Amino acid sequence: MDELEIRSTLINNINTSNSLISNNLNHDYKYLKERNLYFELKEYIDEFLDSCNPNRSFIIPGIRGVGKTTLLYQLYKYLHDEKNIEENRILFLDLNRLKHKPDFNLLDYLDVFIKDINDEYYLTDMPIFILIDETQYAKDWNLTAKTMYDENSNVLIIFTGSNALNLELTADTLRRSLKKQMYPLNFSEYMELNYNVNITYDFTDIIFEMLITGHINEIEKIEKKLQLNEYKILKHNVKKEFEYFLEYGDLPVTILKNKIDSIQTTLEVSDKIIETDMDLISSIKSETRLKAYELILLLATVKPGEMAVNKIANNIQTSTKTIENLLKILKKTELIFPIEIYGSPSKQSRTPTKYYFLSTQSKAAFFLSEGDLSRDTRQSLGILAENMVASTLHRIKETKKNKTGIYYDSRKGGVDFIITTMNGNVIPIEVGIGKKNKKQITKAINYYKSDYGVVISNKTDFITKEDKIIFIPLSTFGLA
């Protein structure tokens, strides 16, 4: 593609971006609210404009439906409407629209944008902004990120894309860029986006601190303030709202949709991961892709850990090698993630890994589409609650980058999860629906010689500590 054609494409893009983004953001005459990551990036932008922050390259991976495109739209509008940056100095590129162009090279486009369209600002201090969506479609985006950073000190660039970006990250890119993983909504963000319930406390930090120390004083006080003040805005039962959140609420892509449309959109997101994102990680045959659909449906509609790989293979009539390969690829897309058994490596190799969905809403959509949630509401709610707790623990571990371990307990009648801390402490965690049972957690505390254990339950109205057991409501834990 020659330079004149690239220039024409970019000018057309620049001239239409503002109206296109405004139309996409404006839904039902309301602007979609911003997530926490928006405010974090906005601070980096402000500091960049004030010439006091060297951070000017950002990489934002995340599964489909978590709001990466909307985030870029909102940042564009902030730059254009609030910071009064001229349209020719902001480039929004959706690579899904450009990937089929002959000999597409992202660096060529950015060079034309910077050195031709913005030639008067090239090699000056005048800031230029580049927002790139669906980055995984650019083969050499790592090289582009490195080159942009090294050669253009007045350019701030943000790359968003599927979790395939995590696999392609090089050491060079990581030295120059900040990676900000985008996750499904927690209950705190859900409440803010849907009901303007502004929860200013960082429950991720607060709950993590409670889990690893066993101290509840801080979170007890904050929860009380929350229930007396912020929750009043809801004007209906928080527990019921939380159950709705488990089934329909952790993917921003379905905000403002009714239940039927929400299920359909969520299934379409999962389909896109299987049809597109899996191929970005490893080429698979069409018949193998069909088995991926069956595998995901099976993982979504059975209790985690119920089936070993060979049983899964028998169930969907394929080889264990195919299942192992599909599980490996699906883990890399981060549609699902594994939790190993607590025990020695040899024990882990003999025992099935449990697989959970990063988005509990994704798991629920398969349940709902198959009609399984109508069979036993309490059991189904328990499975979704367990998935939410697993996903929350996984996200805390990944974002904190600490040496906390997350496992499951394989003992007969064992608890749902076990956390190990850097100090070697073992903390058993039980997720309960419809009961506040001390027996199971007490046995685990005694067996593992733990200082305390945690019960996360919908039968608990507020955080309490009785002897060695911390009881925490599901809805409070979901705020993390």
Side-chain angles (χ1 to χ4, degrees), residues 179 181 183 334 393-402 406:
K179 193 186 91 166
Q181 185 80 24
Y183 289 98
E334 295 195 31
L393 292 173
H394 172 74
R395 177 166 45 81
I396 289 173
K397 176 179 169 59
E398 292 299 307
T399 53
K400 292 291 179 187
K401 297 297 179 188
N402 58 66
I406 305 169

Side-chain angles (χ1 to χ4, degrees), residues 238-252:
V238 172
K239 287 184 181 179
K240 288 294 181 186
E241 190 63 43
F242 183 76
E243 289 177 14
Y244 185 90
F245 163 73
L246 286 180
E247 295 181 3
Y248 306 100
D250 72 9
L251 290 178

Side-chain angles (χ1 to χ4, degrees), residues 162-178:
S162 74
N163 283 314
L165 296 187
N166 284 321
L167 306 178
E168 298 166 2
L169 277 169
T170 65
D172 274 348
T173 307
L174 283 171
R175 277 196 298 271
R176 293 165 172 81
S177 306
L178 289 180

Side-chain angles (χ1 to χ4, degrees), residues 128 277 359 392 400 423 436 456:
I128 296 170
D277 294 347
S359 160
T392 302
K400 292 291 179 187
N423 299 325
K436 185 182 174 183
I456 305 168

Side-chain angles (χ1 to χ4, degrees), residues 96-108:
N96 189 43
R97 295 175 178 271
L98 297 175
K99 63 183 179 183
H100 297 303
K101 287 190 176 287
D103 302 317
F104 170 70
N105 185 299
L106 178 58
L107 191 55
D108 290 344

Side-chain angles (χ1 to χ4, degrees), residues 273-290:
I273 292 171
I274 294 170
E275 291 166 6
T276 305
D277 294 347
M278 288 182 72
D279 269 340
L280 292 169
I281 294 165
S282 178
S283 251
I284 56 174
K285 297 176 182 178
S286 55
E287 59 267 27
T288 305
R289 184 174 287 103
L290 291 175

